[in-house]
Amino acid sequence: MSLSPRTIGAAILLLIVAALGCELRDDGETTLVLTGSSTVAPLMTEIAKRFESENPGWRIDVQAGGSSRGIADVRSGLAQIGMISRELAPDEKDLRAWAIARDGVALIVHRSNPVRALDRSQILAIYSGRVRNWREVGGRDAEITVVTKAEGRATRQVFLEYLAPLASAELHADIIIGHNAQAIQTVGGNPHAIGFVSIGAAEVDAERGTPIRLLPIDGRPASLDAVAAGEFPLTRHLNLVTRSEPGPAIEALIRFARSEQLHDLIRAQSFAPLQP
Amino acid sequence: MTSSVRNPLPRSSRDRRFDAVLTAAASVSALVLGLVVLFLMIEALPAWRSIGAMRFLTDEGWHPTEDRFGLGPMILGSLLVTAGAIAIAAPIGWAAGVFVQLYLPVRGARAYRQAMALLAGVPSVVLGLFGLLTLVPRLAAWQPPGASWLAGSLVLAIMILPTIVLSTDAAFGAVSPDLRRAAAALGLGRWTFARRVAWPVARPATGMGIFQALARAIGETMVVLMVCGNVPKVPASVFDPVRTLTANIALEMGYATRLHRSALFVGGLGLVLAIAGVLIAAWLLDRRSAEHA
C-alpha cells in the first residue's frame, strides 16, 4: 500500500485540529487549573464547587495526579495552582506554598490486636525490623506484618521524620502500598499487620466498620481533634502551590480556600482546619 | 500471527478512497506507537545519562530518594511472577482446551467457551480485588505476609487462563478433519489421537497462545500492585513479596521528582523492550513453524 501525499496531509491536519481543540476556551470565563496530590484533590474539588457557586463566571478544574505532578505543572504553566500534601522541598523554593488544612499520620492495627498503644522506641523497633513478633511489644505470639508506603509519599516522609534519624532505606517493609485505602484494606484483612495512614481516612473507615484501630502515639490519641488542636506528633500541612507572584484570580481562590467559612467543609472531608 | 499476501483484487476509485482512510488509520496507530517509545526515551534520558546504565543493574536496592537505583529486583520480580503464572496456567489451560475440543459435547463446549470469554473480560482490577480480599488474607494466615510472589502468580494465572484455554481449543479444532477420520478409522482413542496426531500439528498455535498470555501477564499492573506486596527485594521463597517493573511505576510515578521520575521511565523502557522481546520470540517461533509446515 502506498501513502499518497493527500493522505499524509489529511492525517497531519487531523492531528493539528485535535491539538487545537485542547486549547480552545470559552471567553468571558475565568478558568483556573489545579493539579497535584490525590489527598488534597477531593478537598479542593469541594472547595472549588462552593467557590464556583458563589462566583458565577468562574471555572475551576481540579485534577489529581500526585504532589510531584502539581509542582511540575505549576512550573511548566500547565496549572496555575498545584496541590501538595507535604511542605515544599529545599529545591522547590522558587514556588510559594499556601497551607489550607492539616492532616495527621496515624498507626493502625487490626481491631482484634490486643496491643493498645506503642511508644516511639517500640515503633522504631518494629519499623527498623528489629522486632518481628508482637509478643515483644506485649501482643500475641505472631509475626508482625509491617505495611509501609511507597517511596516519595508524603505520609512516609512525615513518618520518617518522626523516627529520625532512621534512613528511608532502613525502613522495614513486608508489604509496600500506595494509597491510604490500600493500606487500610491490607491491615483490615490481616490480624497481625501494622501500617501508617492519613488519620482522616483511617477514622472514616474505622467508623464505617473496617476492622482497624488507630493507636495513640506517645500517649496522644490519634484523632482529627488532636491534630486540629496541634497536640498530635505526626502532622503535615496540605498546601496549595503557586509561582512566587500569583495573579489576582489565583489569589482570590487561595484566599477563599484559607477562609474560616470553609472549616466545616474541611472537617467534612476528614482534615483538620488551620488554627485561626 | 498474520501474514500479508499481495492482494489480487482489482481496485476501483471507491476502493482507492477507502484505501486512503485505512492507510491514514494504520499510520496513526504506527505513529502513536513511535511517539510513545520516543516519549519514554526522552523521559528516561536524564537518568540514563547521570546515573548510567550499569548502575540500574549494580546498585544495591531501590531507594531513589537516597540515590540508589537498582532495578534488578524488579526485573527479576516481573520475570518470576510471570513465569509462575505461566507455570500454573499453561498445564491447566492446555488440559482444559483439549477437553473442550475433544471430549465435551458440542453444546457443552459452546457454553464453556462463552464462560471462558466472560472470564477473559473480567477487568483486572476486579481480579486484583478478589485476590486482595480472599486470597491474600488466607495466605497471610498460613504464611505471612500473604501478599507475595505466589499470590501474584495465582491471580495472574486466573487472568491468562482463558487465553490459553481458547487458543489450545482453537489449535486442536484446526486439525484437519481428514486426520480425525483417519484416526477414527484406525481405531485410535481420543487420548492417543490428542497426543500422537493432533498435538504435533497444534503445537505451534498452542505456543502462540502461551506467548500472548505471557505478553499480557508481564505488562499487567493492577493485579500485581494489589497482591504482590511490592517490596523491591529478591524473594527468598514463593511466600515472599516481590515488586514488578509495572507496579514500581504505578506506585511511585505520581510522587517522584527529577531523577527518581526519570529512573521510573528507564524501568518503563525496559518493560517495553521485554514485551517486544516476547513478541519477536513469538514471531520467530511462528515463522519457523510456518517453514516446517
Side-chain angles (χ1 to χ4, degrees), chain A residues 1-3 7 15 38 65-69 91 143 145 150-153 167-169 173-178 182 185 189-190, chain B residues 20 23-24 31 62-66 68 132-133 137 140 145 147 225-226 229-232 241 243 251-252 254-258:
Chain A
M1 229 181 263
S2 66
L3 262 176
T7 316
L15 284 176
S38 51
S67 298
S68 303
R69 182 179 160 204
D91 60 346
E143 202 179 306
T145 298
E151 211 145 327
R153 302 270 168 169
S168 178
D174 294 313
I175 295 177
I176 295 180
I177 45 76
Q182 214 184 342
Q185 195 75 260
N190 185 333
Chain B
T23 311
L31 192 72
W62 171 262
H63 299 290
T65 51
E66 290 175 1
R68 278 152 68 185
L132 186 66
L133 296 180
L225 184 66
M226 290 168 94
N230 304 316
V231 180
R243 184 186 293 190
L251 262 182
E252 298 186 357
Y255 299 83
T257 45
R258 293 172 306 278

Side-chain angles (χ1 to χ4, degrees), chain A residues 215-235:
Chain A
L215 292 181
I217 293 181
D218 299 341
R220 316 266 186 190
S223 71
L224 275 181
D225 294 337
V227 173
E231 287 169 355
F232 197 69
L234 283 83
T235 58

Side-chain angles (χ1 to χ4, degrees), chain A residues 124-140:
Chain A
L124 186 61
I126 292 172
Y127 269 93
S128 60
R130 269 184 286 128
V131 162
R132 301 290 301 122
N133 196 302
W134 279 111
R135 204 181 34 203
E136 295 174 61
V137 290
R140 283 185 293 236

